[in-house]
Amino acid sequence: MRPPGTTAIALGFPLWALLMAAAGYRFADTFAAGASLIVPFLIAIMFGMGLTLRMADFKRAVSRWPVVILGLVLQYGLMPLAAVAIAALLGLSRDLTLGLVLVGSVAGGTASNVITFLAGGDVALSITLTSISTLVAVGATPCLTWALVGTQIGVPVVSMLVSIAKIVVAPVAIGMAVNHWIGARWPERDNWCALFSAAAIGSVIAIIVALNAGDIARLGPQVLLAVVAHNAIGLAAGFGLAWLVSRDAIVARTLAIEVGMQNSGLAVALAQQYFGPVAALPGAIFSVWHNVSGALFAAACARSSRRVERELPARGQA
């Protein structure tokens, strides 16, 4: 049986995420029983990401280093600080502030590569940024969280660093090793990995929503507003600053998606493990929203490209 293509999976994923979130809320007791599966699911997702990567993807960073550095600065500079500012502006509680900062301090989301493809962005650059930011997250995520909210709540930096290494670096490295040996004999692995990742992320969303069902009913609108604002800042700043630096719409689209779409599943796992379910709420809602906004952004970019393509022949004939 052939799996659906990555494009079809990406187009259907926002609806899938919404359905799984609704299922987790409606059948909270059932899905909450799967709390222990969150970390294994994330490890499997990271392994699948590794299966789609090669060392050549990292080597691209050498030739694109100015853009990669800009992406990392926005990823680990803008997004954590934006989280702190939004939390202060909306008067979020200590735990919700911590959760939003965690979302802002993790790497780019695993779905960003497919969304970049749909938006007509630079997929190779997207893969490079996701890969490098994922490795940087091992040190950056716990250190940024401690620096920004460590005075309000104890942040176990060393323990978080070890957890991220186990959840992210080890499975990605193993996946890359497997890809090196069998990749050529498994040409459809990208589609299978995308399908599994979509299913696993949807399951994580349902479990986290179930664990936070009571808090969502009480705090949902406030957290949703914070998440939408946070995501919008990432998309807008990623596009705007990349355009100012490069004057390249393709690069700007790519950085907008990489900065705006976060690995919120990892933020949820860390919050759940170290700080409790309320701190996991921003990541749970972000997991749903950034896929919806990413798909909408990709559709807008695709429409813009088609309009330009139609206008070029007309200008040539004028």
Side-chain angles (χ1 to χ4, degrees):
M1 182 181 69
R2 294 172 61 87
T6 53
T7 300
I9 293 169
L11 290 173
F13 185 73
L15 177 59
W16 167 246
L18 289 171
L19 289 174
M20 291 302 289
Y25 188 83
R26 175 65 178 81
F27 305 104
D29 292 341
T30 300
F31 282 98
S36 62
L37 297 175
I38 293 174
V39 170
F41 272 135
L42 289 174
I43 290 174
I45 292 167
M46 291 296 105
F47 173 75
M49 178 179 171
L51 280 176
T52 67
L53 295 175
R54 301 177 181 85
M55 286 305 300
D57 297 322
F58 292 94
K59 291 178 180 177
R60 291 191 186 100
V62 175
S63 61
R64 307 296 298 274
W65 65 267
V67 177
V68 171
I69 290 176
L70 175 60
L72 291 175
V73 168
L74 292 173
Q75 187 78 60
Y76 291 111
L78 171 72
M79 292 302 279
L81 292 176
V84 172
I86 292 168
L89 184 63
L90 296 179
L92 298 185
S93 69
R94 183 186 67 176
D95 286 344
L96 290 176
T97 298
L98 173 62
L100 197 64
V101 169
L102 266 175
V103 171
S105 301
V106 293
T110 54
S112 62
N113 308 144
V114 179
I115 297 298
T116 297
F117 169 74
L118 295 176
D122 187 330
V123 178
L125 176 60
S126 175
I127 292 172
T128 299
L129 285 167
T130 302
S131 304
I132 299 297
S133 68
T134 296
L135 296 180
V136 172
V138 177
T141 299
C143 291
L144 284 169
T145 305
W146 172 79
L148 294 173
V149 295
T151 57
Q152 302 177 41
I153 190 168
V155 178
V157 176
V158 175
S159 182
M160 284 177 65
L161 190 152
V162 173
S163 293
I164 295 171
K166 290 179 180 178
I167 295 172
V168 176
V169 178
V172 167
I174 294 171
M176 289 181 65
V178 173
N179 184 30
H180 176 74
W181 291 107
I182 69 169
R185 288 172 282 175
W186 190 14
E188 293 183 344
R189 66 191 179 283
D190 287 9
N191 288 348
W192 281 113
C193 289
L195 181 61
F196 175 80
S197 293
I201 294 171
S203 299
V204 170
I205 289 171
I207 293 169
I208 294 302
V209 168
L211 292 170
N212 292 276
D215 291 316
I216 288 174
R218 182 168 55 91
L219 302 170
Q222 183 186 33
V223 179
L224 178 61
L225 178 59
V227 163
V228 170
H230 196 201
N231 173 245
I233 288 172
L235 290 172
F239 187 92
L241 292 177
W243 168 255
L244 287 175
V245 170
S246 67
R247 296 294 175 177
D248 186 329
I250 303 301
V251 170
R253 293 176 186 182
T254 305
L255 260 67
I257 294 166
E258 284 299 315
V259 176
M261 297 186 69
Q262 301 288 86
N263 190 348
S264 48
L266 177 61
V268 164
L270 294 173
Q272 193 72 31
Q273 181 175 354
Y274 293 107
F275 307 111
V278 174
L281 187 57
I285 294 178
F286 202 100
S287 293
V288 180
W289 173 251
H290 79 154
N291 286 290
V292 175
S293 67
L296 294 173
F297 179 79
C301 290
R303 282 196 299 271
S304 176
S305 294
R306 286 195 294 269
R307 184 173 63 252
V308 171
E309 289 171 359
R310 288 195 301 268
E311 290 175 353
L312 287 175
R315 291 175 182 174
Q317 296 171 3

